[in-house]
């Protein structure tokens, strides 16, 4: 019978890993430490990415850094879960609580990082829009007068050459596409609000806003038709049914909706209201002026409704939603650059109701500045408690 304790057996035995010799308590402690290190690294990376974006407006870099922060959050959460499993009951209440907190905080950083990445890649536009990974979804334009009825049309008093007339009509149809997409965006908002148990006033506002966007789309397509005589309307828009839906636990859903409403509601609708109001004073045609005044009033109301949704999400979700909104506010780009025809950039088309680059830049800056002040005031009670 061979003695397992003999020197020969020990000499040829496979070396034992230090991890093998470690107790469950020790393994759990190491994993828990890694979870907290991942959390700190995730937070530091996200703060650094947001700061970088604020200094040099490097939106792509901010998005990549935010995604890396989210990945660290996932890794930290995995370390925390494994620490719970490996530690079992041996780690005691203190160790278990530490692991649970590490998991939850890492998951929160994952969500905040993803929201920041989405915001950094989010293309800016006038009004609430449907998006896919930050990209605005718009319907195609097809032949038909469903959205440009002859009864709505009245030729504006613009004297234009052929090329300008066609280009101007195309831009009005582009405006109409964004208004049409906003109809679907407000329908999506209605579903989100109902799913989250929002009060009837918010649900009613979302539906009323959608109806007003239908009117805006009809007006834009009617103006385009009155300029070039083409009966064209938005076509089938199947992407509308596949647009983003809220995911995750309720708090994460509230954070997503709050950020969406801050950007597309408070900011974009607010910018749109300011721009259109200025254009109403600068356009040369009385009929177009009255139409723009109507749209400006509606968009201003939609922006206020966006703030109402932000407040609801904040009251329901508390500090996690406040942190998501704070991160979103810090990640907002400093400029807004909507694609415009070359002829419109200088302001030559403002008398036709089409904005210039300078007007867009001025009103975006004013709206963003107001948003920062109001958001800071709104978040102060939540962040003060957390501090």
């Amino acid at each position: 019978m061979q003695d397992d304790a003999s020197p020969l057996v020990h000499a040829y035995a496979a070396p034992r890993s230090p991890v093998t010799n470690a107790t469950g308590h020790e393994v759990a402690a190491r994993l828990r430490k890694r979870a907290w290190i991942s959390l700190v690294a995730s937070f530091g990376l996200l703060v650094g990415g947001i700061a970088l974006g604020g200094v040099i407006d490097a939106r792509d870099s901010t998005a990549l850094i935010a995604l890396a922060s989210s990945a660290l959050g996932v890794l930290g959460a995995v370390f925390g879960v494994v620490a719970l499993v490996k530690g079992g009951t041996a780690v005691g209440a203190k160790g278990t609580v530490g692991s649970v907190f590490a998991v939850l905080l890492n998951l929160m950083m994952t969500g905040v990082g993803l929201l920041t990445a989405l915001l950094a890649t989010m293309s800016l536009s006038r009004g609430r829009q449907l998006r896919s990974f930050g990209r605005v979804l718009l319907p195609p334009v097809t032949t038909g007068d469903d959205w440009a009825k002859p009864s709505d049309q009245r030729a504006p008093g613009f004297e234009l050459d052929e090329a300008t007339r066609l280009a101007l009509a195309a831009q009005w149809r582009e405006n109409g596409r964004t208004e049409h997409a906003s109809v679907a965006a407000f329908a999506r908002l209605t579903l989100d609000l109902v799913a989250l148990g929002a009060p009837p006033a918010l649900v009613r506002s979302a539906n009323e806003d959608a109806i007003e966007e239908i009117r805006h789309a009809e007006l834009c397509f009617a103006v385009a038709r009155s300029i070039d005589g083409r009966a064209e309307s938005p076509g089938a828009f199947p992407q509308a049914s596949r647009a983003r839906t809220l995911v995750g636990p309720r708090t994460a859903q509230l954070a997503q909706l709050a950020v969406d409403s801050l950007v597309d509601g408070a900011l974009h609708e607010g910018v749109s209201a300011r721009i259109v109001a200025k254009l109403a004073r600068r356009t040369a045609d009385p009929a177009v002026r009255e139409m723009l005044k109507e749209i400006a009033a509606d968009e201003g109301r939609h922006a206020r409704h966006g703030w109402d949704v932000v407040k609801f999400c904040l009251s329901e979700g508390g500090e996690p939603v406040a942190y998501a909104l704070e991160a979103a506010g810090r990640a907002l780009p400093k400029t807004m650059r909507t694609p415009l025809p070359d002829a419109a950039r200088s302001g030559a088309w403002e008398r036709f109701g089409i904005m210039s680059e300078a007007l867009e830049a001025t009103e975006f800056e004013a709206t963003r500045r107001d948003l920062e002040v109001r958001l800071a005031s709104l978040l102060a009670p939540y962040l003060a408690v957390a501090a």
Side-chain angles (χ1 to χ4, degrees):
M1 182 175 179
Q2 191 175 13
D3 183 7
D4 287 343
S6 68
L8 186 63
V9 171
H10 283 296
Y12 286 95
R16 291 188 178 184
S17 167
V19 175
T20 305
N21 291 330
T23 65
H25 183 281
E26 292 170 334
V27 172
R30 280 200 292 267
L31 290 170
R32 188 163 55 250
K33 181 178 179 181
R34 292 175 186 175
W36 285 104
I37 291 173
S38 296
L39 176 65
V40 172
S42 175
F43 180 78
L45 197 59
L46 182 63
V47 171
I50 293 173
L52 175 67
V55 172
I56 63 175
D57 200 20
R59 299 178 65 192
D60 291 341
S61 298
T62 299
L64 290 174
I65 293 172
L67 287 174
S69 172
S70 291
L72 282 172
V74 171
L75 182 62
V78 170
F79 282 142
V81 170
V82 177
L84 284 170
V85 173
K86 292 287 188 181
T89 58
V91 297
K94 184 178 180 181
T96 300
V97 170
S99 296
V100 169
F101 268 99
V103 171
L104 293 178
L105 291 173
N106 273 288
L107 288 176
M108 185 185 77
M109 285 306 304
T110 299
V112 172
L114 289 174
L115 281 170
T116 304
L118 174 64
L119 184 63
T121 58
M122 185 177 284
S123 52
L124 299 179
S125 63
R126 283 169 52 185
R128 186 178 288 272
Q129 298 295 307
L130 289 178
R131 301 179 186 277
S132 176
F133 297 101
R135 181 175 61 89
V136 173
L137 304 177
L138 296 174
V141 175
T142 187
T143 302
D145 63 357
D146 288 344
W147 291 77
K149 297 295 184 184
S151 58
D152 290 334
Q153 107 185 35
R154 173 197 175 283
F158 304 144
E159 294 184 6
L160 308 168
D161 59 73
E162 180 72 6
T164 301
R165 185 167 58 84
L166 295 177
L168 183 60
Q171 185 58 39
W172 272 105
R173 287 193 179 92
E174 188 64 19
N175 291 351
R177 291 175 74 205
T178 65
E179 301 287 2
H180 180 274
S182 290
V183 178
F186 276 109
R188 176 77 263 166
L189 173 61
T190 297
L191 292 175
D192 291 341
L193 290 170
V194 170
L196 290 169
L202 290 183
V203 178
R204 185 181 300 110
S205 294
N207 281 276
E208 291 171 348
D209 293 349
I211 292 172
E212 289 170 351
E213 297 292 2
I214 293 173
R215 168 71 172 164
H216 298 174
E218 289 175 326
L219 289 171
C220 290
F221 278 94
V223 169
R225 182 176 182 177
S226 71
I227 293 172
D228 67 3
R230 297 180 181 177
E232 294 184 339
S233 296
F237 190 21
Q239 290 173 303
S241 64
R242 300 193 296 269
R244 173 213 55 80
T245 56
L246 301 178
V247 295
R250 187 170 186 269
T251 299
Q253 292 180 7
L254 287 165
Q256 293 171 57
L257 184 58
V259 171
D260 282 353
S261 294
L262 180 73
V263 177
D264 272 344
L267 179 61
H268 291 169
E269 296 277 16
V271 172
S272 180
R274 287 174 180 263
I275 289 174
V276 177
K278 290 286 180 64
L279 289 172
R281 294 196 288 270
R282 298 176 184 180
T283 187
D285 185 80
V288 174
R289 183 182 305 118
E290 291 305 310
M291 182 195 76
L292 292 175
K293 288 167 75 172
E294 176 185 340
I295 293 177
D298 292 344
E299 301 289 11
R301 188 165 50 255
H302 299 176
R304 292 193 295 274
H305 292 163
W307 279 111
D308 291 339
V309 175
V310 170
K311 292 176 184 176
F312 162 73
C313 294
L314 193 55
S315 66
E316 292 287 306
E319 287 177 22
V321 175
Y323 280 118
L325 286 168
E326 184 189 34
R330 292 180 181 275
L332 284 176
K334 297 187 180 301
T335 57
M336 180 176 185
R337 300 184 184 92
T338 302
L340 289 170
D342 291 338
R345 297 180 188 280
S346 66
W349 282 13
E350 287 189 0
R351 66 191 183 96
F352 306 141
I354 303 299
M355 68 181 179
S356 64
E357 283 187 336
L359 177 60
E360 179 183 55
T362 299
E363 299 310 322
F364 177 78
E365 173 59 25
T367 307
R368 187 181 186 275
R369 188 168 55 248
D370 290 347
L371 180 146
E372 289 175 342
V373 172
R374 185 169 181 178
L375 182 63
S377 175
L378 193 63
L379 298 182
Y382 297 89
L383 302 182
V385 170

